[in-house]
Amino acid sequence: MSVRSASALPEAAAAPERAGGRRALAARRRRLMVNGLRLLVLVVWIGSWELTTRIGLVDKFFFGMPSGIVQRLWTWITEGTALGPLWEQVLVTMEETVLGFLVGSVLGIILGIALGRNRLLADVLSPYIKAANSIPRVVLGALFAISLGLDLKSKVATASILVFFVVFFNAFQGVREVDRNLVANARILGADGRRLTTEVIIPSALSWIAASLHISFGLALVGAVVGELFGATEGVGELIYNAKNNFDANGVFAGMALLAVVALVAESLITALESRLIKWRPNPVTDVAI
Amino acid sequence: MAPAIQLRRVTKRFLTPKGGVYTAIRDLSLQVAPGEFCALVGPTGSGKSTTLALISGLEPPSEGEVEVFGKPVTGVGHNIGYVFQADAVFPWKSVLDNVAAGPRYRGASKREARERAQDWISRVGLAGFEDRYPHQLSGGMRKRVALAQTLINSPEVLLMDEPFSALDVQTRTLMENELLQLWAASSASVVFVTHDLEEAIALADRVYVLTAGPATVKGNYVVDLPRPRNVAEIRFQPRFDEIYQEIWSDLRDEVLVSYERQKRIGAA
Ligand SMILES: Nc1ncnc2c1ncn2[C@@H]1O[C@H](COP(=O)(O)OP(=O)(O)OP(=O)(O)O)[C@@H](O)[C@H]1O
Ligand SMILES: [Mg+2]
């Protein structure tokens, strides 16, 4: 319905369909233009990269070359990598990332809510958490490589520790920022402590937690790849590491491209998960007033 | 018989963010008889909401005694209903689940709670909106959800903090009449906070006027208008005017004090 425009513009009220159609057309045209410009940016970027390396303005030994990267990806796909079939490497990294993400966020949510609900616990543990948060945690990957070995576990541990802190702080803050009116209302309506947690605290903290999941999935990927760099026998990180050892810039870029694809797929999954978790929130995508 | 609500020389102080102490209520005493409908009027910031918070048990008094049905209030009681001044419906629950929340928390089965909620949703005129989330409702509709959410628990003590101030005049009159009917059918004791003296007189058996903050009782006035009342018509009775004049002369002084004070703070 074009209620808003109809009341604002008298002539639009006479022909609401036409006005709506015109607006839809304008929106479509804009979308087309944005996508066209995006493509242009890509073409200019890749084109100038290819051109400058081809004529030798930029050394392709250090910076790779788009056509070389595509070629490298193609050989990986068709002939497999030095470590085995490509899809296996991607799958291994995915597995480490997803497991690390799950472990880290579940622990983060549980501990964040527990500390948010318990003043004493929060006061006792806060200096340790702050200290742990201030060290660059990726170096723990080295420790895990020693203590947990070169297989899956050390990567999952590295990924989950990165995820944990982000989710933990958001869950903690989410609990602290709960609307006091809602808590008061729930208490008046008869909610006990447990109900207060499940019916008020967790739902209202969820929007904070959901916001942190975007960042933390990216961090899980970072953790998994860093874990692989510290020592592994398979995975995209190990592919990149090998390429680096062979001074194969194209291989490094090809590995990065793979990671970008993984991250983009994950991002869309998280967005879907988020809109499931907090469907009660005003949503600009589903609440369109056409 | 013990009064339903009794406040004896109650004082409430708050710590301000700067570390100072702010006295919101000083030496306030009031009484509400069982089944009585009391209105609380006073200038803005005088401590009306704070008074309700004390009665509900959400806030403890700094000094003095608060009793409900003869027992000192030590926490949130199960027989209290409270319609908050600010929006307090749960944004992540649909209208149906919001209204069903009280019965659920009080141990009713999901099915029973929803059936009762359905009934109350119709009573407040929201039938057809059961599946909406609060952000999809108007402010007035959210207030009605809050009302149904409270009344479904049939509270013995009903605290209402400016429940109708967001409604248009027509809906407001309808809801006021509806409230009077529901109250007459129950035995609830009501404390109804409002800025609107006309509303206070039209609804209440007794009107308490609070002073500009820190609040204490400036006076209390019996409203001896006959019941059952029709809110839309009762305003035209000559007796209504007399009572209005009597209370307004007191209230006006306090409103002026409060207004002058705020102007001074604003200028400083
Ligand atoms: N938690 C709090 N901490 C500090 N000061 C508070 C707190 N709650 C209320 N106050 C102060 O107490 C005074 C009375 O507040 P209250 O909300 O009871 O006023 P009110 O009479 O309900 O006003 P209104 O009609 O505008 O709703 C105000 O000056 C307010 O700033
Ligand atoms: Mg108030």
Side-chain angles (χ1 to χ4, degrees):
Chain A
M1 291 292 126
S2 58
V3 177
R4 219 185 304 151
S5 76
S7 57
L9 306 165
E11 80 275 4
E17 296 102 89
R18 198 141 44 82
R22 221 181 301 137
R23 202 166 340 148
L25 199 70
R28 201 156 51 232
R29 214 175 280 150
R30 206 190 113 79
R31 215 165 33 237
L32 223 67
M33 188 181 74
V34 168
N35 282 334
L37 285 176
R38 279 182 185 157
L39 199 67
L40 187 70
V41 169
L42 187 73
V43 167
V44 168
W45 172 40
I46 301 285
S48 55
W49 185 359
E50 179 76 30
L51 200 72
T52 48
T53 43
R54 225 170 244 282
I55 61 174
L57 206 65
V58 173
D59 194 339
K60 70 178 175 209
F61 182 76
F62 295 121
F63 293 99
M65 198 166 149
S67 56
I69 297 168
V70 171
Q71 221 163 35
R72 168 69 73 260
L73 274 173
W74 185 245
T75 27
W76 277 355
I77 292 167
T78 52
E79 292 160 30
T81 67
L83 305 172
L86 181 66
W87 62 268
E88 249 174 34
Q89 314 310 313
V90 175
L91 220 62
V92 163
T93 306
M94 281 286 265
E95 192 185 358
E96 294 159 355
T97 306
V98 170
L99 282 178
F101 172 74
L102 289 178
V103 171
S105 40
V106 166
L107 287 179
I109 289 171
I110 292 174
L111 240 82
I113 288 174
L115 259 68
R117 292 288 279 146
N118 188 329
R119 203 56 214 228
L120 180 69
L121 205 61
D123 286 345
V124 170
L125 294 184
S126 73
Y128 300 107
I129 290 167
K130 278 190 195 127
N133 186 39
S134 61
I135 57 170
R137 287 175 303 281
V138 279
V139 301
L140 289 174
L143 198 68
F144 291 139
I146 298 169
S147 56
L148 297 176
L150 297 187
D151 60 352
L152 190 74
K153 277 183 294 209
S154 62
K155 285 84 187 174
V156 172
T158 315
S160 56
I161 202 112
L162 294 188
V163 170
F164 170 81
F165 279 94
V166 175
V167 175
F168 168 81
F169 281 112
N170 273 281
F172 181 76
Q173 199 62 21
V175 170
R176 284 298 173 88
E177 303 274 315
V178 168
D179 187 344
R180 296 184 41 160
N181 274 311
L182 294 182
V183 174
N185 193 19
R187 286 178 61 199
I188 293 279
L189 293 176
D192 52 19
R194 190 180 58 83
R195 270 250 153 75
L196 217 53
T197 305
T198 58
E199 299 260 316
V200 182
I201 311 278
I202 293 181
S204 77
L206 258 187
S207 52
W208 283 73
I209 295 169
S212 71
L213 295 185
H214 280 282
I215 305 169
S216 55
F217 199 92
L219 282 176
L221 192 59
V222 170
V225 172
V226 167
E228 286 172 359
L229 294 180
F230 276 126
T233 53
E234 48 188 354
V236 178
E238 180 64 14
L239 266 184
I240 294 176
Y241 186 73
N242 276 353
K244 178 221 109 186
N245 282 351
N246 297 330
F247 296 103
D248 175 10
N250 284 337
V252 175
F253 278 116
M256 277 167 61
L258 285 176
L259 291 178
V261 171
V262 171
L264 281 178
V265 171
E267 173 73 21
S268 60
L269 288 180
I270 297 276
T271 307
L273 178 73
E274 182 180 17
S275 50
R276 284 281 311 257
L277 280 181
I278 40 182
K279 62 174 190 293
W280 50 269
R281 242 186 10 186
N283 184 334
V285 181
T286 55
D287 289 359
V288 271
I290 313 163
Chain B
M1 188 144 111
I5 301 167
Q6 170 118 49
L7 272 66
R8 259 188 247 110
R9 313 207 54 171
V10 169
T11 297
K12 178 69 184 175
R13 300 186 199 92
F14 287 111
L15 285 178
T16 59
K18 282 183 200 151
V21 175
Y22 180 84
T23 309
I25 297 179
R26 179 180 294 152
D27 251 349
L28 181 138
S29 301
L30 65 80
Q31 249 189 43
V32 181
E36 193 177 28
F37 196 124
C38 257
L40 220 55
V41 295
T44 176
S46 61
K48 303 183 293 295
S49 300
T50 308
T51 309
L52 292 194
L54 291 177
I55 299 171
S56 71
L58 286 168
E59 293 275 355
S62 310
E63 270 170 48
E65 288 139 44
V66 182
E67 288 176 3
V68 170
F69 291 114
K71 291 198 200 73
V73 173
T74 50
V76 176
H78 65 97
N79 53 357
I80 303 262
Y82 194 160
V83 180
F84 291 86
Q85 183 171 14
D87 235 354
V89 295
F90 305 114
W92 47 82
K93 282 185 192 289
S94 66
V95 169
L96 186 64
D97 288 336
N98 255 298
V99 178
R104 287 289 286 145
Y105 298 163
R106 288 154 195 250
S109 74
K110 193 161 192 161
R111 205 164 126 239
E112 189 205 332
R114 288 196 156 189
E115 268 164 25
R116 282 170 58 197
Q118 190 67 59
D119 176 39
W120 273 99
I121 288 170
S122 314
R123 284 207 223 179
V124 296
L126 286 176
F129 291 94
E130 292 84 357
D131 296 332
R132 300 268 195 114
Y133 286 98
H135 76 88
Q136 298 164 321
L137 302 176
S138 75
M141 288 160 104
R142 280 200 291 272
K143 263 272 114 86
R144 282 187 265 165
V145 175
L147 216 57
Q149 193 179 46
T150 298
L151 294 175
I152 194 172
N153 299 315
S154 1
E156 292 171 76
V157 168
L158 177 57
L159 310 172
M160 305 181 86
D161 202 342
E162 304 188 28
F164 302 142
S165 55
L167 304 182
D168 63 275
V169 181
Q170 287 82 7
T171 317
R172 184 171 174 164
T173 310
L174 282 176
M175 296 286 304
E176 285 167 353
N177 277 331
E178 184 76 16
L179 173 67
L180 283 183
Q181 274 173 29
L182 292 169
W183 165 72
S186 74
S187 55
S189 317
V190 182
V191 182
F192 187 102
V193 167
T194 175
H195 278 129
D196 182 350
L197 185 51
E198 273 193 43
E199 184 180 38
I201 298 170
L203 294 176
D205 297 318
R206 185 187 294 273
V207 177
Y208 279 95
V209 175
L210 299 189
T211 58
T216 184
V217 174
K218 169 114 177 182
N220 88 73
Y221 308 83
V222 175
V223 179
D224 49 4
L225 295 167
R227 289 192 192 272
R229 298 178 192 167
N230 181 338
V231 174
E233 288 159 14
I234 199 146
R235 300 175 194 213
F236 304 113
Q237 290 208 2
R239 179 72 190 128
F240 186 97
D241 256 348
E242 286 171 34
I243 299 172
Y244 187 95
Q245 293 305 336
E246 191 189 355
I247 304 179
W248 174 239
S249 64
D250 264 5
L251 182 58
R252 185 188 46 208
D253 296 344
E254 294 307 321
V255 171
L256 279 176
V257 170
S258 158
Y259 179 67
E260 286 298 326
R261 211 182 280 165
Q262 276 169 14
K263 239 181 19 188
R264 227 177 315 133
I265 293 170

